Amino acid sequence: MGEYLGDRELTFGLRAREASDLPVLADILARQQASSRYPFRWPLPMPDVDFVARSSDENAWVAHEGPRLLGHVAVGIVSEDDFGEIFRDGLGIQVDRLRSVTTLFTSIEARSLGVGRALLAQAEADIVDRGLVPVLDVLPVHAAASAMYARRGWRTVTTATAVDAIKGRFHVEHIAPEGSIAAQIDDLRPAARRRYWLRQVLNAAVLPGFAAVLVLTQTFDLTFFVVACLIGALNFFMAMSQRRPILGGHRDGLVPLVLGLDFRRRRTVRRAVRTANPSVDPVLQYVELTEARRLALQYKTSVWALGVSLVVLLILAAVHFADGSNATVFVLAALAVFAVVAGTWSMLSSRGAQRYLERLGYDPQSLLPRDEPSSAL
């Protein structure tokens, strides 16, 4: 993702927060406070590092341009206190299904360049992906942040008055996304399912269909047709046996949600996953996360399928070469080249997806945040 910064392009990425980031983030927080008035109470009654990294944090990310940090956001558990009760009563949702977007801030140099929007989109996508609802509170004095939330469809659930020993009485707005992004994602699912099963039928029919044509034209005998059907079936069951136990724990794990998008946005999602560069749009970022999870498990399947296909094609080529069937050998060689190209592309896509997940702090094997136990599935 890139934005204009003076006379150059600001190219930034997102990754999971690391312990070594905390002193730098605390310094960024302190330097931007005077102009943003966030945090509202300053100096803090605690070390700045403890404000950035809280015990309630589940996940946290930083925006960075190379080694330079540009901003931060975290997702935290909502406790059964006044904050949780306000959203429970206002939204009609149990507190354990709420997650708070917290400590969202950017450096002074990165303001108005899309960094804050990208961090907010990442937090929203992470929360919605787990079937939860994002919430946060904002003060009217934080006008720029309030405007960004409003542009992204967040609405006020309720307004309360808080009292601080130093700042005195002040208003707090408790906000949540209007209908969240869940409604937009729900709209993608019917088209994604239709296109997915159509593609599955076509994929399953291509190899046996091609083999049937060759058998009917007497290029190959019936053995080739049987082998082709077996390869297709083995590839399908191998893929599902690897994917279902892991992806089955995610609502959009098995059916590629990207198929519900139009062609232009499908290209955007696939490019973002391939280059490990998350989009700013929270809907696209959610789709990217589900697509990265799906593709990350594709590597072993691709290697296995490529190896089996090449072995079978080479054996058949050797047999027909011995018989002097040069035309048949040429067809088999062409199929082998196609298998290599398709398998290589599939493996490259899978590697890109793994880098995408790693950049956002997910384990590409379990598909979970690195600090979350696999038993959560």
Side-chain angles (χ1 to χ4, degrees):
M1 48 185 73
E3 300 287 346
Y4 187 67
L5 179 61
D7 59 353
R8 68 184 182 88
E9 188 83 3
L10 173 64
T11 303
F12 64 90
L14 304 181
R15 63 167 173 79
R17 185 186 70 199
E18 300 172 357
S20 59
D21 297 327
L22 294 178
V24 180
L25 291 170
D27 181 63
I28 292 174
L29 180 72
R31 286 191 290 110
Q32 61 82 52
Q33 195 280 333
S35 56
S36 71
R37 301 183 69 184
Y38 177 82
F40 184 55
R41 181 176 180 178
W42 192 263
L44 291 167
M46 65 189 78
D48 297 353
V49 169
D50 293 343
F51 178 84
V52 175
R54 307 176 185 184
S55 59
S56 59
D57 289 349
E58 286 186 321
N59 299 312
W61 300 267
V62 296
H64 65 97
E65 184 188 26
R68 186 167 69 109
L69 299 186
L70 303 172
H72 171 269
V73 72
V75 169
I77 296 172
V78 177
S79 58
E80 297 274 358
D81 55 12
D82 292 344
F83 181 80
E85 291 176 359
I86 286 172
F87 284 108
R88 182 194 62 197
D89 297 340
L91 297 174
I93 297 173
Q94 292 302 310
V95 174
D96 61 1
R97 291 197 56 236
L98 303 175
R99 289 298 181 272
S100 178
V101 179
T102 64
T103 50
L104 172 56
F105 61 91
T106 66
S107 65
I108 297 173
E109 300 80 9
R111 284 187 185 159
S112 302
L113 297 173
V115 176
R117 293 195 302 273
L119 288 166
L120 178 60
Q122 170 57 32
E124 289 179 357
D126 173 74
I127 295 170
V128 173
D129 179 57
R130 293 182 281 156
L132 305 173
V133 177
V135 297
L136 60 83
D137 57 4
V138 63
L139 306 185
V141 296
H142 300 145
S146 297
M148 180 181 70
Y149 298 138
R151 287 194 300 270
R152 297 191 65 80
W154 289 63
R155 65 178 177 85
T156 300
V157 176
T158 185
T159 301
T161 300
V163 179
D164 181 82
I166 296 177
K167 292 290 187 178
R169 298 170 66 87
F170 57 93
H171 294 294
V172 180
E173 293 183 1
H174 301 279
I175 65 176
E178 180 70 50
S180 187
I181 65 171
Q184 299 177 60
I185 293 169
D186 283 339
D187 292 340
L188 300 178
R189 291 190 175 104
R193 291 192 189 98
R194 289 194 303 270
R195 292 169 181 168
Y196 172 72
W197 289 113
L198 177 61
R199 192 172 71 171
Q200 290 297 96
V201 171
L202 292 176
N203 287 344
V206 166
L207 188 57
F210 181 70
V213 171
L214 295 179
V215 170
L216 292 175
T217 57
Q218 298 183 345
T219 305
F220 292 99
D221 55 24
L222 189 60
T223 304
F224 180 77
F225 175 73
V226 174
V227 170
C229 292
L230 287 175
I231 292 176
L234 284 172
N235 283 343
F236 177 79
F237 287 115
M238 182 75 175
M240 294 309 295
S241 66
Q242 287 185 346
R243 287 168 160 175
R244 190 174 293 278
I246 299 179
L247 290 177
H250 304 279
R251 180 173 183 184
D252 297 297
L254 296 175
V255 176
L257 196 60
V258 67
L259 295 178
L261 299 171
D262 57 63
F263 178 74
R264 181 183 61 82
R265 292 198 295 168
R266 284 203 299 270
R267 288 186 59 191
T268 299
V269 166
R270 285 166 176 157
R271 186 186 306 113
V273 173
R274 189 172 61 251
T275 60
N277 197 5
S279 299
V280 174
D281 186 299
V283 174
L284 291 185
Q285 194 168 110
Y286 175 83
V287 176
E288 289 165 9
L289 184 59
T290 62
E291 185 70 0
R293 280 177 166 148
R294 189 181 66 84
L295 292 175
L297 295 178
Q298 188 171 281
Y299 186 78
K300 290 182 180 179
T301 305
S302 300
V303 173
W304 184 89
L306 176 61
V308 171
S309 300
L310 286 177
V311 168
V312 172
L313 290 171
L314 289 174
I315 291 174
L316 290 172
V319 171
H320 286 278
F321 182 76
D323 293 340
S325 304
N326 293 332
T328 302
V329 172
F330 177 79
V331 171
L332 289 169
L335 287 174
V337 171
F338 175 79
V340 169
V341 171
T344 302
W345 177 257
S346 179
M347 287 185 280
L348 289 174
S349 298
S350 178
R351 284 301 191 195
Q354 291 174 352
R355 289 195 302 272
Y356 182 100
L357 292 172
E358 288 172 348
R359 171 164 287 187
L360 296 183
Y362 288 82
D363 184 338
Q365 303 302 319
S366 68
L367 309 185
L368 293 169
R370 290 193 181 278
D371 56 353
E372 184 175 334
S374 58
S375 60
L377 285 177

